[in-house]
Amino acid sequence: MAAVSLYFRRLFGAEEGGGEGGGGFSVCQLDCVAPDALDALLEFAYTATLTIPSSGMRDVLRGAQLLGIQCVADACRDILGETGETEGETAGEQRSQQTTSERTVETTNVVEKISRRKTDKKKVKKVGSHHNNFSPLNLLPASPASHPSPISDSFRSLPPTQPPSPEPEELHPKLRQNGDPRSIREPGRGATLNGGLLHWSPERPLTAHLPPLQTDKLSEDDDMEGLGDDIMVMGSSSLPTSVADRGAATSVVGGGRKRKSQTPQQCPVCQKIIHGAGKLPRHMRTHTGEKPFQCSACGVRFTRNDKLKIHMRKHTGERPYTCSHCPARFLHSYDLKNHLSLHSGARPFECPLCHKAFAREDHLQRHRKGHSCLDLRTRRPRRVPELAEEGGENEGLRDLSSPLSLQAHSSVFLPRSVLESGGGSGGPPVIFPGGIDRERSLALLAQLNPQSLASYPELFLRGLGMRGGRETEREDPGGTRSPALQRDRWADDAEAEEAEEGE
DNA sequence: CTGGGGATGGGGCCC
DNA sequence: TGGGCCCCATCCCCA
């Protein structure tokens, strides 16, 4: 929160220069921000996504101002058709065109009424964050200087954000194509956003990057047009400077500016490639811990709506999956599937070592991970990611002559090879070794996917720190799950061990 | 250690 | 393009 909010930065003393602002607060009561608005702002802080019911726009704006989250405040103003020229809280500057009925926030001045119809949208999505603010590498408030906040003069004393360095233009040929070069390169302007809104920079006319034609039917998507690319631009320079746009993520990976369907996208935290449109935000919640979907009956929260829906079956008693052979009914289709194997007696998953057969693949895996075959294979503790990556002193299975190892060597090792190609010319490194230099990691990632990194710089760094946890262990770079491929994966593990042994 | 249910997270398809 | 819905793989927990 301190990374994104001037208020919290002060409050918790995150900023050294902050002086008296002083940390020490363990509990902070925020009566002045509406709960819904605070929710939205928290979501924004962690995911760079801002979702605001149109009815709550004002609250969010006010909250953003109070908490010193300038980019959000700017975005809200933009949407509301106000302007962020807050610097001068002088009412005198007010220029006409106040669009909405709202009693505008005292400090806002209306410059242009471009906020078009977004106001009535139910959801304002993704206000890209500029996450300048986010950057752990650059904790300086991104916006204070460039986007003076109305909320407090004291905040103004905070150092300005470092403007992103210019981007190589060749990489972003399309940058200027929306007709407003400024919209793209203006340093320090956080503009890009993720997904949705576009502009933040108060100093620049809001209309600037909106192609004229869009005024009427401007959709959020439209807004994003042309911005997605900028994003990457900014992202590569100093990471966090910009906010990348998750939406356009993919394009960057290829280095080209092709706006291909946004899938797949790389998670800036775990580097996992997420396939499917709109799936990255969902994935990000696994890192943020955010659980926006709450059961109205028992209060349990879920990260996904579909999971909540299934959960609700417990309350409704609905068990839609019925076994045709017995009265058993299940909540999940896969439960039924598992159950059916009982009737069929099928045990398609056989341990290659002891030939014990299982009805479920996960049971076979558990069997293999356990000690069931201890006498037949060299047992090793579950591989620890850091060790696996760094090589090192890990003990464990090294006997290549063991059945497991032999099997391993008969398999394909693509995932490993990909990993080891590392920062080379080839494939993207999926994992940063635990001991890798942080800056190098960041630079590497920025190079690989600047915009996605910029989208979640904070999370990315956190990810570096947490690497090696269960998250890593569960990674499935190959994305394969068939029994045969699973074997390859084991083989892959074995090979990793072999490598360790070599050292 | 195994069988089984439930939870979690990713991918595909469709709107 | 984002999200809903569904399926799948995997993990956790309990008996």
Side-chain angles (χ1 to χ4, degrees), chain A residues 10 20 38 57 59 93 105 114 137 146 161 168 179 211 258 291 298 304 322 327 379 381-382 433 487 497:
Chain A
R10 282 283 175 160
E20 78 304 358
L38 187 56
M57 189 65 65
D59 287 339
E93 293 185 5
V105 178
I114 47 168
L137 293 183
S146 51
T161 299
K258 220 169 237 167
K291 295 186 175 183
C298 66
R304 290 164 50 169
T322 305
R379 187 49 212 147
R382 182 67 185 150
R487 284 194 296 275
E497 286 159 4

Side-chain angles (χ1 to χ4, degrees), chain A residues 450-468:
Chain A
Q451 97 240 49
S452 72
L453 169 58
S455 291
Y456 306 98
E458 179 72 20
L459 291 175
F460 167 67
L461 290 172
R462 203 191 304 165
L464 286 179
M466 72 166 74
R467 210 112 200 65

Side-chain angles (χ1 to χ4, degrees), chain A residues 173-184:
Chain A
K174 184 177 175 186
L175 284 183
R176 296 168 182 273
Q177 82 178 25
N178 66 355
D180 177 19
R182 280 187 61 200
S183 66
I184 298 163

Side-chain angles (χ1 to χ4, degrees), chain A residues 77 103 246 400:
Chain A
R77 278 190 214 99
R103 49 186 194 100
R246 311 175 352 245
L400 297 181

